[in-house]
Amino acid sequence: MEDHYFSASPSSPDERSPLTVELAGREVTVEVAPGIFSPGGLDKGTAVLLREVPDPPTHGAFLDLGCGWGPIALTLGLLSPEASVRAVDVNERAVDLCERNAKALGLTGVAACAPDAVPADETYSRIWSNPPIRIGKKALHTLLLTWLPRLEPGGEAYLVVQKNLGSDSLATWLGAHLPDGFVTDRLTSSKGFRVLRVRRSA
Ligand SMILES: C[S@@+](CC[C@H](N)C(=O)[O-])C[C@H]1O[C@@H](n2cnc3c(N)ncnc32)[C@H](O)[C@@H]1O
């Protein structure tokens, strides 16, 4: 079967290599491997998200939906070391890399796992994601309707989506399908990417 970045168990050799990137204004070295999303460096969309989104609160529970090797979860952990950061991914190699990268940086608040391992009652004040558009519209909609309702009252989610991969229609769809009390708008547009913001009323 063809290997995707969202394969549960990638068939490519699990050869780890170091990658030096800037996260939260700090140069850090992480581990990456083939068979996951963007192992060669920080994805352009992720970079837009990390640059444009307001800093998270110092405390609280945050979610990185679809963590890959962890650039978003690690940034949340570096910015708010006392917060709890949940990072989830269906790709087992990505989960392992994110977990190891967090440990190596001493980010004890970051915990990576498979989506099914997250307690059903866990909620978040912030959700940051570069969501897996390539899984297809139906699967993406199901994914977002599974996780966005876990926003706490007053909580905010930020999603970066490439403009030509349907960011505007996704924003309209979210507006129509999220429960009452959720408002979706566009935070910003940069370099062909939109950052969508979903807010839950307090
Ligand atoms: C566009 S990538 C972003 C990865 C990483 N956050 C980054 O910015 O480099 C989306 C990620 O979502 C993961 N993914 C796909 N389907 C998922 C699902 N149902 N639940 C959680 N993560 C999923 C993919 O494996 C992939 O790592």
Side-chain angles (χ1 to χ4, degrees), residues 5-7 36-38 41-43 46 64-73 88-91 94 115 129-133 135 139 143 147:
Y5 67 74
F6 48 89
S7 298
I36 64 159
F37 180 77
S38 199
L42 194 60
D43 171 67
T46 303
D64 171 5
L65 176 57
C67 61
W69 57 261
I72 296 174
V88 297
D89 207 294
V90 286
N91 182 323
S129 180
N130 179 351
I133 302 296
I135 61 176
L143 179 72
W147 293 94

Side-chain angles (χ1 to χ4, degrees), residues 45 48 133 159-171 186 188-196:
V48 168
I133 302 296
L159 312 172
V160 66
V161 181
Q162 213 171 313
K163 205 177 146 200
N164 62 14
L165 290 182
S167 55
D168 293 345
S169 59
L170 181 63
R186 189 197 306 164
T188 188
S189 194
S190 172
K191 301 191 171 176
F193 292 90
R194 305 267 205 235
V195 178
L196 307 182

Side-chain angles (χ1 to χ4, degrees), residues 112-137:
C113 67
D116 291 351
V118 177
D121 58 354
E122 195 167 276
T123 58
Y124 310 100
S125 66
R126 291 292 181 278
I127 298 176
W128 288 13
S129 180
N130 179 351
I133 302 296
R134 307 264 175 208
I135 61 176
K137 204 183 263 187

Side-chain angles (χ1 to χ4, degrees), residues 14-158:
D14 191 354
E15 285 160 2
R16 313 256 163 144
S17 54
L19 172 72
T20 300
V21 285
E22 193 180 307
L23 297 177
R26 254 178 71 179
E27 190 169 278
V28 296
T29 299
V30 296
E31 255 186 11
V32 293
I36 64 159
F37 180 77
S38 199
L42 194 60
D43 171 67
K44 284 196 184 103
T46 303
V48 168
L49 179 90
L50 297 179
R51 195 180 58 236
E52 300 292 341
V53 170
D55 281 356
T58 51
H59 292 82
F62 311 150
L63 172 70
D64 171 5
L65 176 57
C67 61
W69 57 261
I72 296 174
L74 299 175
T75 299
L76 287 166
L78 289 164
L79 291 172
S80 302
E82 292 182 36
S84 301
V85 183
R86 174 71 71 182
V88 297
D89 207 294
V90 286
N91 182 323
E92 293 159 5
R93 191 176 293 173
V95 169
D96 185 55
L97 284 162
C98 183
E99 185 75 6
R100 287 171 59 91
N101 287 332
K103 249 196 202 112
L105 292 174
L107 301 175
T108 51
V110 177
C113 67
D116 291 351
V118 177
D121 58 354
E122 195 167 276
T123 58
Y124 310 100
S125 66
R126 291 292 181 278
I127 298 176
W128 288 13
S129 180
N130 179 351
I133 302 296
R134 307 264 175 208
I135 61 176
K137 204 183 263 187
K138 197 161 171 255
L140 177 69
H141 288 170
T142 302
L143 179 72
L144 295 175
L145 283 190
T146 301
W147 293 94
L148 290 176
R150 292 188 183 226
L151 266 185
E152 293 160 4
E156 296 168 11
Y158 296 93

